[in-house]
Amino acid sequence: MIRLDELQRRAKEITAAVNPVSDDIVAIAPWKAEEVPRIIEHCLSCEAPLVVGNGALSTGVRFDLSKLQKIKPDETSLVVHVEAGVKLGHLEERLHAYNLTLGPIPGELREHSVGGAIAGRSYFKLGRYFSYWEDPLLSLDVILPNGNYYHTTPAPRRASGPDLTKLLAGSEGTLGIIMSARLRVYTRTRSAREAVWHLPTLEAAGLAARKLLRAGLCCSVLYAEEHPGKALLGARLEGSMASLHDARLQEAEALLGPTQQDPHELIQRFSTPQKSLPTPRAEIFVPYEEVSAVLALCPERSAATLTAKLPEVALLSLENVSPVKLFMLARTHRGTASPASALYEAGTQFGASTLGAAYASLQAMKRALDPKHLFAKGALGL
Amino acid sequence: MDTLLHQALLGLVGAENFSEDPEDKLSYARDLWPRNTLLARGGAPPQYPPEAVVWPRDAKQLSALVLLCRANNMPFVPFGAGSGVCGGTIALRGGLCVDMKHMKRLLWSDAERGLARIECGINGEILEESLNRRGLTLGHFPSSIYCSTLGGFLAARSAGQLSTKYGKIEDMVVSAEVVLPDGSIVEVGAERPDLLQALVGAEGTLGFFTQATMRVHPLAEERLLRGVKLPDVEAGTRMIRELLHAGIRPAVVRLYDELDTWMALAGGKKDPEQKSEKSEGSILEALRQRLPEDKITRAAFSFALQLAPQVGFLADAGPKLLGAGCLLILAFEGTKRVAQAEEAAALEIAGRLGAKDLGRSPGEAWLQKRYAVSYRLSKVFQAGAFADTMEVAVTWDRLLPLYDAVRHALQSEAVVMAHFSHAYHEGCSIYFTFSTSAPDTQSSLERYDRLWKRALNAALAVGASSSHHHGIGLLKAGHLRAELGPGGFLLDALKQGFDAQHLSNPGKLGFQK
């Protein structure tokens, strides 16, 4: 039996920011990370379901971690230890004081909190400067469903069993609450080269991007946009040694032809929040060669058609994550927020249809970890 | 084995793919974990032979085997090529040893997409050669490549010598077909949460890899090898860090500490794997004079030093006194233009840090013999001593404390040398080699266990991982749990979800029913 009034009373002894939202939901916004495990201990003893942020919740505690704002850069390892409530755009601004940067941030990510971006795995779209396969997330600090604080090992690579950091990232709070993370940073660049190519279609732009990546030319930005009758592919190469970018840009031009003028505007659009576009958006993870097939669902690019053909999807642009697949970002034209578990990957709804028999194992794992389903109940269909 | 089960297994895989021969069971009872080599040298038979060995042909057959095992509460243990060094394939609870080597085909490759679909029992070297014939490379070159499989790479999170450019195996895998412990066959890829990365490194405790889609790359147009010499480990690691942070991604980064460097260069040899013999006499004398008082240590030192001309293990202090410096081998590969630009940029940084350019020969010599080191350990054991290697990783800010802590933890009882060979933006791994000896098997085992405990305790205290690319197996199970701390709860839940009966490679990663 959940006793929210009792839980409120206990939480107020720990932190001041406790507010009833309704008869069934209490909002708690802790001031310090140390307060959270103590509050969660009470949630567990009261068997109160809990979520972070805007996750679905019918009764229980809604945590707002936005007051957790500490950052601690490690300028030797080029890593920042950052609390979950810091928004990526704000983190970037604060890093500048240390002459550090996360790299170019896709516009729509700037307002994401670190915790939210990791829980939903959108952090994965942060730029990679020097090699496409590297993951910007080094380690996590999480509170597990048994109330214990778990710090994953901040080693650059491990062979110490399964990668629990990657398992937790993208688990949308079902396996633990992300309190802080270590993310890769770069020294702010002293030089950069930008380029833009005009291509006939978005698919052609995607294939051209793959060509660059396959040649080992990793770009901090690789972004394609569809325009009437053509597509633009923009690339940004940066680092501390101009001679390297020059060589890489020459290589890129050898592959794709001479670059066009004024790439900067396109690159800027990558990093600018596109407020005119409705949110939320859906994201699909598409192999390059399937871009045409997805676009063919909606030859006229109308939101109505796309909404009907590929639920929740509308205007399209592309961002690289690897030479194998890319993200197709699509903003929904629907007024209501889609639950995170309704995100689409490769056009298939997450859940049993994607994971097949492994889904049952995932459910069994969730039962073992959180037998009363108190953490992010219902997210990911678990 | 129960007669009905025996018949059922035979019926499933056929007599030619099933064995209960004592020779087979003995062969499959151990991998290359040096502790078991010590036991074998002492004449002890393997403690945990499997009850039978099977060679399934495909995922469907493996799935049927797993279902049969589950119905009979029989453990099943995966086996690739047996080159693991942590006891990861030992059949602790008996059961069925499942040798995956029949699943050995390169199914397809697509140069445009940069992908290849590969069965996981394929030998590492054969896979690479097959890809090379198609103008491609996986970019994965562990020193065990001749005696390894793709499934083994994935199970233990393997790393190759070109990892700085191409990544570790977990960076290369895009998706995989896995036979889960409930017998289901699933394809795992980019789902959320990331089950693929939960299965990679699970060492067969959560399922068996049968096929994988891997990233592949065009063969490099150019490969440029270079050797530079730096004053010490601190300067060497700084140079690697600066290279990585400047955006240079060498294919090979190998920094040898002073001892290793002296071995490579003192006799005019340019290859760190080809140890100098001519001038070892003088260094041995110098080292002997500095031996500690403890008799056991003196004996171990002397023994290791006696072996030095053959196996290349020397004490720690001498090379520093002799000013050996540290050799750093680099390779740059890719398109000609970019490889040349990267090499030029690296030499610019090297010049700024006061490094001496040794030209191409150290790297070229290393390349020729790059897999040889894996085959030297047997000579140490044959000679009555023993040795092992420990690979751990940490962020740059803790790298030198890690180097010092582990050496300090081991030096009273063993000769320790190290190289730094897998570098990343955020940090680097250190590969320690320690060698020593003891009068008999029992005391050797005690010393072996004590050295590992000390070394891993020291590494974990600094914040390092318990393994970078050898995996956990039985050797490091306790330290894995220490590294995970409260995270062990999450790992155990994963096991509960995938294999509540604890039949899939039982006892590894510290799983206990």
Side-chain angles (χ1 to χ4, degrees):
Chain A
M1 186 66 182
I2 305 170
R3 290 282 312 279
L4 279 182
D5 52 343
E6 173 64 12
L7 182 60
Q8 266 188 75
R9 191 188 60 74
R10 291 186 197 171
K12 276 183 179 168
E13 290 172 4
I14 298 168
T15 186
V18 179
N19 296 300
V21 176
S22 67
D23 289 345
D24 300 316
I25 295 177
V26 178
I28 301 179
W31 288 100
K32 293 178 183 171
E34 306 86 84
E35 296 168 359
V36 181
R38 293 168 60 203
I39 298 168
I40 286 179
E41 192 182 325
H42 292 310
C43 291
L44 295 176
S45 68
C46 295
E47 298 186 7
L50 51 98
V51 295
V52 176
N54 296 320
L57 183 72
S58 57
T59 182
V61 173
R62 183 180 299 287
F63 276 99
D64 170 1
L65 301 183
S66 62
K67 293 191 172 77
L68 306 184
Q69 290 288 321
K70 285 184 191 162
I71 74 166
K72 187 179 176 192
D74 167 0
E75 292 165 76
T76 304
S77 307
L78 292 187
V79 169
V80 62
H81 192 192
V82 54
E83 286 189 333
V86 182
K87 288 182 176 175
L88 288 171
H90 189 214
L91 174 59
E92 175 66 11
E93 288 164 18
R94 291 171 68 184
L95 285 170
H96 289 183
Y98 301 90
N99 197 32
L100 297 173
T101 174
L102 286 171
I105 305 172
E108 64 279 354
L109 277 192
R110 298 189 76 85
E111 291 299 309
H112 283 212
S113 68
V114 166
I118 294 170
R121 217 162 74 175
S122 57
Y123 81 93
F124 207 70
K125 293 180 293 175
L126 289 171
R128 285 126 170 90
Y129 271 31
F130 307 130
S131 68
Y132 57 80
W133 46 262
E134 292 174 302
D135 191 329
L137 174 64
L138 184 66
S139 69
L140 286 173
D141 306 303
V142 295
I143 298 175
L144 296 173
N146 62 357
N148 284 339
Y149 226 123
Y150 169 40
H151 311 275
T152 69
T153 310
R157 289 292 184 285
R158 301 163 64 244
S160 313
D163 189 335
L164 299 179
T165 303
K166 292 225 168 77
L167 183 67
L168 288 160
S171 67
E172 300 184 8
T174 56
L175 309 182
I177 293 178
I178 293 166
M179 297 298 298
S180 48
R182 283 182 177 78
L183 293 172
R184 162 183 296 203
V185 294
Y186 304 89
T187 47
R188 292 184 76 188
T189 53
R190 292 192 286 276
S191 68
R193 301 285 182 270
E194 292 177 342
V196 65
W197 291 271
H198 291 203
L199 292 139
T201 63
L202 200 56
E203 184 191 26
L207 294 174
R210 186 172 72 182
K211 218 177 231 184
L212 296 181
L213 294 164
R214 297 276 293 121
L217 302 171
C218 194
C219 311
S220 61
V221 174
L222 198 50
Y223 176 64
E225 267 184 6
E226 191 179 36
H227 290 257
K230 67 175 178 183
L232 301 180
L233 172 67
R236 181 177 165 92
L237 297 142
E238 58 189 302
S240 57
M241 303 189 84
S243 59
L244 278 178
H245 323 320
D246 289 338
R248 287 170 179 158
L249 185 59
Q250 284 171 28
E251 197 67 45
E253 290 192 309
L255 287 167
L256 302 184
T259 63
Q260 312 292 320
Q261 296 300 307
D262 291 332
H264 194 61
E265 193 186 333
L266 178 65
I267 302 295
Q268 282 295 98
R269 278 206 294 278
F270 167 86
S271 300
T272 306
Q274 298 181 22
K275 288 179 180 164
S276 60
L277 293 167
T279 56
R281 67 198 182 283
E283 298 171 5
I284 38 182
F285 204 37
V286 193
Y288 286 90
E289 57 273 16
E290 288 175 20
V291 170
S292 288
V294 175
L295 292 175
L297 290 169
C298 180
E300 73 281 24
R301 305 290 184 269
S302 85
T305 313
L306 265 176
T307 304
K309 295 275 180 68
L310 193 67
E312 310 273 337
V313 176
L315 185 68
L316 298 161
S317 61
L318 303 174
E319 292 175 50
N320 80 290
V321 289
S322 80
V324 179
K325 289 181 178 177
L326 46 69
F327 275 111
M328 179 170 286
L329 298 183
R331 280 80 175 176
T332 75
H333 280 226
R334 286 189 177 176
T336 55
S338 57
S341 56
L343 285 179
Y344 285 76
E345 292 187 345
T348 309
Q349 191 165 8
F350 178 87
S353 58
T354 307
L355 286 171
Y359 192 62
S361 298
L362 188 61
Q363 288 176 311
M365 179 186 73
K366 172 68 175 173
R367 281 195 297 276
L369 195 66
D370 183 13
K372 292 178 179 156
H373 282 256
L374 299 180
F375 275 49
K377 189 175 185 178
L380 298 174
L382 292 171
Chain B
M1 184 182 291
D2 176 81
T3 312
L4 283 177
L5 176 60
H6 181 267
Q7 288 304 317
L9 287 168
L10 274 177
L12 255 178
V13 297
E16 71 279 17
N17 291 317
F18 176 87
S19 175
E20 289 180 297
D21 292 346
E23 295 86 348
D24 282 334
K25 292 201 284 189
L26 279 179
S27 299
Y28 284 87
R30 51 181 282 253
D31 55 12
L32 292 183
W33 184 13
R35 193 180 196 283
N36 278 346
T37 308
L38 277 176
L39 281 166
R41 191 181 65 183
Q47 289 172 284
Y48 304 106
E51 291 168 61
V53 184
V54 290
W55 291 265
R57 297 219 154 264
D58 54 31
K60 277 188 182 172
Q61 211 171 61
L62 176 58
S63 166
L65 280 169
V66 165
L67 288 172
L68 194 56
C69 286
R70 277 170 64 89
N72 288 276
N73 200 32
M74 175 181 255
F76 35 96
V77 179
F79 198 95
S83 59
V85 290
C86 303
T89 58
I90 291 173
L92 270 189
R93 283 171 40 203
L96 207 57
C97 176
V98 183
D99 188 334
M100 304 291 284
K101 283 198 276 292
H102 276 341
M103 301 182 210
K104 59 182 181 184
R105 292 174 297 166
L106 168 56
L107 298 170
W108 53 259
S109 62
D110 183 333
E112 280 299 309
R113 292 166 67 198
L115 296 174
R117 183 74 172 179
I118 306 154
E119 289 187 326
C120 289
I122 193 169
N123 173 278
E125 173 67 2
I126 292 171
L127 168 59
E128 182 60 22
E129 285 175 354
S130 305
L131 288 168
N132 290 170
R133 284 195 290 276
R134 301 171 187 213
L136 297 168
T137 177
L138 181 61
H140 191 66
F141 304 93
S143 58
S144 62
I145 193 166
Y146 297 130
C147 185
S148 58
T149 63
L150 176 59
F153 295 157
L154 291 167
R157 294 186 170 265
S158 165
Q161 293 162 345
L162 275 57
S163 64
T164 301
K165 183 174 180 68
Y166 297 106
K168 284 183 73 199
I169 203 75
E170 61 263 37
D171 303 308
M172 301 174 182
V173 62
V174 174
S175 66
E177 180 189 77
V178 184
V179 175
L180 298 180
D182 66 1
S184 53
I185 303 171
V186 297
E187 182 78 16
V188 287
E191 297 85 7
R192 299 190 313 171
D194 194 339
L195 284 182
L196 177 61
Q197 291 297 335
L199 295 170
V200 172
E203 302 186 12
T205 59
L206 304 178
F208 289 12
F209 290 102
T210 47
Q211 293 182 10
T213 302
M214 306 296 295
R215 290 192 175 92
V216 292
H217 311 267
L219 282 171
E221 184 182 307
E222 180 85 282
R223 175 180 283 167
L224 301 169
L225 288 143
R226 203 88 197 181
V228 297
K229 193 169 163 186
L230 292 119
D232 51 30
V233 164
E234 185 176 355
T237 54
R238 183 179 169 192
M239 174 159 171
I240 299 173
R241 177 163 53 89
E242 291 207 11
L243 291 179
L244 273 284
H245 287 175
I248 301 167
R249 284 295 177 271
V252 176
V253 176
R254 292 180 81 85
L255 174 72
Y256 297 86
D257 73 0
E258 286 92 341
L259 171 60
D260 224 340
T261 299
W262 186 87
M263 299 285 286
L265 300 180
K269 301 284 173 68
K270 301 298 182 189
D271 166 18
E273 311 297 352
Q274 186 185 337
K275 311 303 182 190
S276 164
E277 291 175 15
K278 281 184 182 173
S279 34
E280 273 173 1
S282 56
I283 189 79
L284 289 178
E285 277 312 307
L287 292 172
R288 279 198 182 97
Q289 288 169 16
R290 298 182 59 81
L291 287 179
E293 292 301 314
D294 168 55
K295 281 183 183 175
I296 297 175
T297 309
R298 287 180 69 89
F301 251 89
S302 299
F303 204 89
L305 294 177
Q306 284 169 25
L307 295 169
Q310 289 81 41
V311 297
F313 295 107
L314 277 173
D316 177 67
K320 274 186 186 166
L321 296 175
L322 297 171
C326 291
L327 173 65
L328 172 62
I329 288 176
L330 299 166
F332 307 91
E333 68 176 47
T335 61
K336 197 170 186 174
R337 186 185 282 119
V338 172
Q340 287 174 349
E342 287 200 329
E343 184 186 52
L347 289 175
E348 188 183 320
I349 291 172
R352 184 158 45 77
L353 294 177
K356 183 182 174 190
D357 183 2
L358 302 177
R360 304 211 178 280
S361 57
E364 286 167 354
W366 166 80
L367 189 69
Q368 280 182 359
K369 299 194 174 185
R370 60 178 159 157
Y371 303 132
V373 68
S374 288
Y375 302 91
R376 288 213 168 94
L377 284 183
S378 57
K379 291 181 183 173
V380 182
F381 284 84
Q382 282 165 6
F386 65 88
D388 206 345
T389 56
M390 182 178 94
E391 23 62 65
V392 286
V394 79
T395 43
W396 289 111
D397 59 321
R398 301 177 192 196
L399 191 66
L400 291 176
L402 173 64
Y403 177 64
D404 291 338
V406 172
R407 285 164 61 247
H408 181 73
L410 296 177
Q411 273 170 350
S412 63
E413 289 195 78
V415 180
V416 191
M417 55 205 284
H419 64 261
F420 304 71
S421 49
H422 304 277
Y424 309 93
H425 182 86
E426 302 90 346
C428 190
S429 81
I430 310 181
Y431 195 91
F432 294 97
T433 301
F434 55 91
S435 64
T436 186
S437 65
D440 52 45
T441 300
Q442 187 55 36
S443 54
S444 292
L445 290 170
E446 286 167 6
R447 175 167 283 189
Y448 180 88
D449 293 341
R450 193 165 56 243
L451 286 170
W452 265 105
K453 188 176 175 184
R454 280 188 198 161
L456 279 173
N457 282 349
L460 294 189
V462 177
S465 59
S466 46
S467 173
H468 174 264
H469 61 270
H470 285 174
I472 298 298
L474 294 174
L475 169 63
K476 303 171 199 165
H479 283 90
L480 169 66
R481 294 298 167 146
E483 179 189 337
L484 291 175
F489 175 60
L490 181 56
L491 187 64
D492 288 336
L494 199 55
K495 180 70 171 174
Q496 185 68 19
F498 280 78
D499 181 26
Q501 287 178 262
H502 285 252
L503 293 176
S504 195
N505 203 9
K508 308 307 180 322
L509 303 185
F511 287 129
Q512 290 180 346
K513 196 175 181 180

